[in-house]
Amino acid sequence: MGEGIPSRGARAVVTGAGSGIGRAFALELAARGGRVVCADLDLSAAESTVAAIRRGGYGEGHAVRCDVSSLGEVEALASTSRAYFGEVPTLLVNNAGIGVGGQNLEDISMEDWRFIVGVNLFGVIHGCRTFVPLFREARRGAVINVASAASFGSAPQMGAYNVTKAGVVSLSETLHAELAGTGVRVAVLCPTFVKTNILRNARLPGAHEARAQQLMDRQGTPPDVLVRGALDGLDRGEIHLLPQLDARISWWAKRFSPGTFTRGMGWVGKMLPRAPRTANREGA
Ligand code: NAD
């Protein structure tokens, strides 16, 4: 890792590296001279990212299958990464995540709650719990946790997703405080729409998926642009990474007038189609 420049020459571990934002992190970190362990639930997707790193002719990659919702698998990822690098990694990107939406809070099934909390929140908890002690001992290293503008946006019918992402922001801020003066950096990325495969893999009713896909196609930032902004923010020592203008505007609007902001989101929500109350309550 370059002195004070964590994104340069990193020995990085990226979760969810087989697609979208994770894949863009892996490629950009390799382009900045890094070696990257590309971890994903889908091994062949992780391998395709490693193949893209090789085709790019810069950096180096190694594919690993890992389900971040399992603490044991994340611990195994840390051991594999250490063996691959021959030393402790310098950067962890806790990126793997999934979407659940389309229902009011009281209608979300317990199965959907457990699924999304398991990946989006416990995935990040497992990553921090496993890698931070290694960084702390080495007195260097950096963590980027991928949250979302949903963490503060309070979008209706996205409750479970919003809760997991707010948890990731809180976890990151707490870690940032706990690691002050240790030489270990922590940052949390809060994107709005980014053009990825997230909707294809999400648990969303059809009408919502179509609406969200439209917004993503129209307004989505290309993942490589987002990731370059995020890594530059990490290098500058920022804690909240908000590379997109609409994310920064919403962030400040929420802080300036939280009540008006949330009421406004409520009116937007009234325009959305609503999935039937009974459609997804099995296991509730
Ligand atoms: P994506 O679906 O394109 O990529 C997610 C990757 O994570 C996939 O390769 C998938 O196989 C992997 N994955 C899923 N569950 C996993 C698990 N349990 N363990 C390991 N890997 C797993 O989605 P993306 O948009 O690139 O999402 C990446 C992160 O960005 C997520 O945390 C998401 O919540 C966040 N995010 C995305 C957007 C957006 O608009 N795309 C906006 C804000 C935040």
Side-chain angles (χ1 to χ4, degrees), residues 41-260:
L41 186 60
D42 178 347
L43 179 60
S44 64
E47 285 170 342
S48 81
T49 300
V50 170
I53 289 174
R54 292 205 180 111
R55 275 197 306 278
Y58 40 68
E60 233 184 78
H62 176 63
V64 176
R65 190 200 170 275
C66 174
D67 178 351
V68 297
S69 69
S70 154
L71 176 60
E73 291 196 24
V74 175
E75 287 172 344
L77 172 66
S79 304
T80 308
S81 304
R82 234 178 144 154
Y84 172 67
F85 295 128
E87 56 190 312
V88 170
T90 62
L91 175 63
L92 170 69
V93 184
N94 280 315
N95 161 78
I98 43 118
V100 166
Q103 289 172 310
N104 285 343
L105 275 163
E106 66 272 23
D107 297 331
I108 301 167
S109 74
M110 289 314 298
E111 202 268 327
D112 277 354
W113 271 110
R114 289 191 189 98
F115 176 58
I116 194 167
V117 171
V119 178
N120 289 11
L121 185 52
F122 270 101
V124 177
I125 292 169
H126 294 156
C128 292
R129 187 183 165 80
T130 305
F131 283 82
V132 166
L134 306 178
F135 293 165
R136 200 191 264 277
E137 203 185 323
R139 298 198 65 77
R140 52 121 187 89
V143 180
I144 296 179
N145 291 327
V146 179
S148 167
S151 62
F152 55 86
S154 320
Q157 301 184 18
M158 289 294 295
Y161 186 78
N162 299 346
V163 165
T164 61
K165 295 302 185 178
V168 171
V169 171
S170 176
L171 182 153
S172 308
E173 290 172 347
T174 307
L175 206 52
H176 188 260
E178 289 177 354
L179 290 170
T182 63
V184 182
R185 291 187 196 194
V186 181
V188 58
L189 174 60
C190 296
T192 54
F193 285 105
V194 187
K195 285 182 180 145
T196 70
N197 294 316
I198 193 163
L199 295 172
R200 233 172 282 163
N201 303 323
R203 294 186 179 183
L204 268 179
H208 284 75
E209 189 181 332
R211 181 79 54 96
Q213 192 66 56
Q214 253 177 7
L215 277 168
M216 189 175 277
D217 293 343
R218 212 170 38 223
Q219 277 174 238
T221 302
D224 56 322
V225 173
L226 175 91
V227 157
R228 279 199 293 276
L231 289 175
D232 292 346
L234 175 75
D235 290 347
R236 287 191 297 270
E238 292 168 11
I239 171 176
H240 299 110
L241 305 174
L242 298 158
Q244 296 154 295
L245 179 64
D246 55 353
R248 289 195 294 280
I249 291 171
S250 321
W251 171 267
W252 287 112
K254 172 80 179 285
R255 260 145 199 75
F256 179 69
S257 186
T260 309

Side-chain angles (χ1 to χ4, degrees), residues 9-33:
R11 291 181 293 284
V13 179
V14 180
T15 68
S19 172
I21 296 171
R23 183 180 163 98
F25 265 115
L27 293 174
E28 182 61 23
L29 285 163
R32 294 181 186 210

